[in-house]
């Protein structure tokens, strides 16, 4: 990695006004004092969690408050906001005796009531929940699994704070039931990235490390806002800018946090801010594929590709080049919302860089053609060999601490541990390792679970964390689906509104332990493939809370006693030993035992030396081209955005990065002026699925596009419109604006 420059760099400052006074941005010091106040009853424990544990927020990965990219303290607002979930006490079980008083309350109000204290049950016709024993809960679930059969059960695992050990135990247990109906939050975010990476490079994870940002000439963010979702990453960009890297953002909206950010742990940035992005390219919602195709066309036509790398190490380029020649600039401009000049400008920046890193997120994947959009990014990566070497890489950046490991542990309807496809051959290998028959057909993905529930085809739906009501399109349909499942089980730390949906027959609540409470410690896999040990942190406990791995081991033994021996782990260390045997790329996990223990599977770079683990040993250009989509006259493209939240956990009603409230409708100033709309004016968005009432919020967004917060506008999203490869919901829509009388 290039030597990090410590000298102050005024050219990168956001403002000469100290601490960004007069500018819209998060008050990070205020966040620190807020955390102190929220956790004042358990300050010593809160400090130990921050100082000893691995962050349960985003997937950047830390040990305590330190990482492996930069020296110094790494502590962000997301982690501070999540801290209270780990330190709060149990709620009063009497509160759950009649749930009518809880209905309609926001999820932040529900979670602030306290942690789930004990197993609870609510039967049809009962006003609320009553306390039961763990044994009663286990027997009820086991009986339902046996009576339902493998096709009528489904299990979903969340990503926030879920460790590898719990993921591994859960998927093994479900497969011992004869089912592959298990999925996790990776499905909803980066499953299109996984399929596209495998096709192009033969790998299924980021090819580089965070350190490569600082060693790069050019960092391109596409559909990604790290200032909101991975705030510590702004520190990496600060030092990348000091090393003269250029930063580009391709997005529908010119995100203020990606333009300027005040990083509290760096005195220079805390005082004067850091201007992060050098060039913004604004595109239509869903116009990324056309824009990226245009950039690739400009690279080819400008002679800016690395011909030697392409000839020796890749296939498929000739076919792509011929197809690009047939694409017209007029069509690409119309579909992308950009211009030929802008596409050529980015091509020149890519062509002039010796090293580049491409980073993308939900703005790319949560679209009908998400995998194809990733393939288009990977074509740019391959155009100049930006992979397998320092300062280069393709990075699908993760937003949650447990999501990378979830897929790699096999907690996936379409993949076994290690990312192996669900095939008869791979199932046979697992059957030999585990000592029982593993099912050979892919299971239900998370959206398909709700489809099955809606159609009356599920008898058991188990959700460990997560909240389908807040994360999937068409909440009314989701609620109706949940209400039709005879037995729903929710294992979580705190209450969510999906738990309050009336039971068809029975609903169980099970109290989960946090990662910091698990004896023997656990592990997390970060975005950069770093497997990190998180030790148990001494402190207060919820007496009846249990780790998910332990629960699933007990459940599997109860469902089928003849297979109990396969789940006789005496602690998480033995789970890690088995993971090391079953998942070869995770070998070394069995040696992780203390704070700071970690390793990065595959090393700093995958495909190092341009060795690609594909069937022919070469990287593959992918022939993906945009498609036209008719937008009715006067209609707008709508996308859903995140703001001051962590997945479905909304922390504030106003986003400190841009000042937008939860009811804001982001619109371009040009469109607002054309329609005679003023800031703050109430309007409605409407389509065939519903209506959304909000207020006008003019901002720097591509004309013809609107944005509203997720999940508030999920009812406008078509639940049947999904990504073609992985089945991810397309969280975008077409709407019209109606002014209020």
């Amino acid at each position: 990695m290039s030597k990090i420059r410590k000298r102050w760099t005024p050219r990168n400052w956001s403002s000469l006004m100290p601490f960004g006074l007069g500018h819209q941005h998060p008050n990070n010091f205020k966040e620190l004092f807020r955390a102190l106040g929220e956790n004042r009853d358990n300050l010593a424990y809160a400090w130990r969690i921050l100082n000893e544990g691995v962050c349960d927020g985003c997937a950047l990965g830390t040990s305590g408050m330190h990482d492996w990219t930069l020296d110094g303290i790494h502590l962000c607002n997301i982690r501070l906001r999540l801290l209270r979930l780990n330190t709060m006490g149990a709620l009063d079980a009497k509160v759950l005796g009649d749930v009518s008083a809880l209905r309609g309350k926001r999820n932040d109000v529900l979670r602030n009531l306290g942690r789930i204290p004990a197993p609870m049950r609510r039967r049809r016709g009962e006003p609320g929940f009553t306390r039961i024993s763990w044994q009663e809960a286990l027997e009820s679930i086991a009986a339902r699994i046996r009576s339902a059969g493998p096709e009528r059960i489904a299990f979903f695992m969340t990503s926030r704070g879920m460790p590898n050990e719990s993921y591994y135990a859960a998927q093994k247990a479900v497969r011992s039931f004869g089912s592959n109906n298990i999925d996790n939050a990776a499905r909803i975010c980066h499953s299109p990235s996984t399929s596209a990476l495998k096709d192009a490079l033969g790998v299924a994870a980021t090819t580089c490390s965070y350190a490569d940002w600082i060693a790069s000439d050019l960092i391109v963010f596409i559909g990604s806002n790290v200032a909101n979702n991975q705030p510590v990453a702004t520190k990496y960009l600060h030092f990348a800018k000091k090393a003269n890297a250029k930063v580009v953002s391709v997005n529908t909206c010119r995100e203020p946090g990606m333009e300027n950010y005040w990083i509290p742990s760096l005195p220079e940035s805390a005082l004067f801010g850091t201007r992060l992005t050098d060039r913004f390219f604004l595109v239509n919602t869903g116009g990324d594929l056309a824009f990226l195709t245009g950039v690739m066309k400009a690279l080819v036509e400008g002679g800016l590709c690395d011909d030697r790398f392409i000839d020796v190490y890749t296939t498929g380029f000739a076919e792509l080049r011929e197809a690009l020649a047939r694409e017209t600039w007029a069509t690409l401009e119309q579909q992308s919302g950009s211009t030929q000049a802008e596409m050529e400008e980015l091509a020149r920046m890519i062509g002039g860089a010796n090293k580049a890193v491409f980073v993308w997120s939900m703005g790319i994947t949560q679209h009908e053609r998400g995998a194809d959009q990733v393939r288009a990014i990977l074509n740019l990566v391959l155009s100049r060999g930006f992979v397998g070497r320092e300062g280069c890489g393709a990075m699908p950046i993760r937003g949650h601490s447990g999501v990378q490991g979830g897929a790699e542990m096999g907690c996936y309807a379409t993949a076994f541990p290690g990312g192996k496809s669900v095939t008869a051959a791979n199932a046979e290998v697992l059957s030999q390792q585990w000592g029982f028959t593993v099912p050979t057909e892919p299971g239900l993905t998370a959206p398909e679970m709700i489809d099955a529930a809606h159609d009356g085809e599920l008898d058991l739906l188990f959700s460990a964390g997560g909240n389908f009501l807040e994360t999937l399109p068409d909440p009314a349909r989701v609620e109706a689906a949940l209400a039709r499942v005879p037995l729903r089980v929710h294992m979580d730390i705190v209450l969510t509104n999906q738990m309050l949906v009336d039971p068809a027959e029975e609903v169980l609540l099970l109290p989960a332990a946090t990662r910091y409470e698990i004896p023997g410690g656990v592990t997390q896999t970060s975005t950069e493939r770093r497997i990190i040990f998180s030790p148990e942190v001494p402190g207060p406990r919820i007496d009846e809370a249990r780790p998910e791995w332990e629960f699933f081991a007990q459940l599997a033994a109860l469902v089928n006693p003849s297979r109990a021996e396969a789940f006789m782990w005496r602690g998480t260390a033995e789970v890690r030993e088995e993971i090391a045997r079953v998942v070869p790329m995770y070998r070394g996990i069995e040696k992780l035992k203390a704070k700071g223990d970690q390793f990065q599977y595959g090393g700093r770079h995958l495909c190092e030396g341009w060795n690609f683990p594909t069937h022919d040993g070469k990287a593959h250009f992918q022939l993906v081209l945009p498609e036209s989509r008719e937008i009715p006259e006067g209609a707008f493209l709508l996308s859903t955005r995140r703001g001051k939240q962590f997945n479905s956990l909304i922390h504030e009603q106003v986003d400190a990065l841009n000042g937008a409230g939860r009811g804001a409708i982001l619109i371009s100033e040009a469109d607002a002026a054309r329609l005679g709309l003023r800031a703050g004016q109430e309007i409605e968005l409407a389509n065939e699925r519903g209506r959304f009432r909000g207020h006008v919020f003019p901002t720097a967004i591509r004309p013809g596009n609107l944005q509203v917060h997720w999940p508030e506008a999920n009812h406008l999203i078509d639940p049947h419109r999904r990504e073609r490869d992985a089945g991810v919901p397309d969280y975008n829509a077409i709407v019209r604006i109606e002014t209020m009388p």
Side-chain angles (χ1 to χ4, degrees), residues 451-472:
D451 293 343
H454 188 270
D455 294 340
E457 297 173 355
L458 278 189
D459 292 334
L460 166 67
L461 179 60
F462 187 107
S463 179
N467 188 345
F468 288 122
L469 268 182
E470 298 288 316
T471 57
L472 291 180

Side-chain angles (χ1 to χ4, degrees), residues 302-371:
L304 298 173
C305 297
D306 185 335
D307 294 332
R308 180 184 175 278
F309 168 80
I310 291 171
D311 290 343
V312 176
Y313 296 100
T314 75
T315 64
F317 181 72
E319 294 83 356
L320 178 61
R321 180 177 56 201
E322 292 174 6
L324 290 171
R326 295 190 293 269
E327 290 290 317
T328 67
W329 286 110
T331 300
L332 294 174
E333 286 182 327
Q334 187 273 329
Q335 293 176 352
S336 68
S338 185
T339 65
Q340 177 180 348
E342 287 193 320
M343 293 180 242
E344 290 175 337
E345 181 184 351
L346 181 53
R348 286 192 296 272
M349 295 180 75
I350 293 171
N354 180 49
K355 298 178 290 185
V357 176
F358 291 76
V359 184
W360 68 93
S361 194
M362 305 301 93
I364 286 293
T365 58
Q366 290 181 338
H367 185 270
E368 186 180 31
R369 297 197 66 188

Side-chain angles (χ1 to χ4, degrees), residues 133-171:
S133 69
W134 269 104
Q135 190 60 33
E136 284 180 275
L138 281 162
E139 289 176 354
S140 180
I141 299 167
R144 184 71 64 166
I145 291 171
R146 287 192 294 265
S147 65
E151 295 182 356
R152 297 184 65 86
I153 60 175
F155 296 77
F156 177 80
M157 310 292 283
T158 189
S159 56
R160 193 211 70 81
M162 187 74 71
N164 291 325
E165 293 80 358
S166 291
Y167 278 127
Y168 181 83
Q171 61 84 30

Side-chain angles (χ1 to χ4, degrees), residues 607-652:
C607 310
E608 189 164 13
W610 294 334
N611 293 304
F612 299 100
T614 57
H615 66 89
D616 56 5
K618 293 190 175 186
H620 304 150
F621 281 94
Q622 304 290 301
L623 182 55
V624 289
L625 298 172
E627 300 169 347
S628 61
R629 185 181 184 188
E630 293 298 323
I631 307 299
E633 183 70 25
F636 286 80
L637 293 163
L638 175 74
S639 58
T640 49
R641 64 179 288 113
R642 315 316 191 245
K644 198 56 183 175
Q645 64 190 96
F646 184 72
N647 195 17
S648 61
L649 298 179
I650 296 169
H651 296 308
E652 286 290 341

Side-chain angles (χ1 to χ4, degrees), residues 164 167-168 170-172 174-175 180 182-184 404-420 422 430 434 583 585:
N164 291 325
Y167 278 127
Y168 181 83
Q171 61 84 30
K172 183 180 178 182
V174 173
R175 287 175 169 123
N180 281 320
I182 183 164
D183 221 31
N184 80 90
Q404 184 75 34
E408 291 168 348
M409 291 297 95
C411 208
Y412 223 38
T414 53
F416 289 137
K420 300 288 186 181
V422 177
L430 277 180
W434 287 343
V583 186
M585 66 186 184

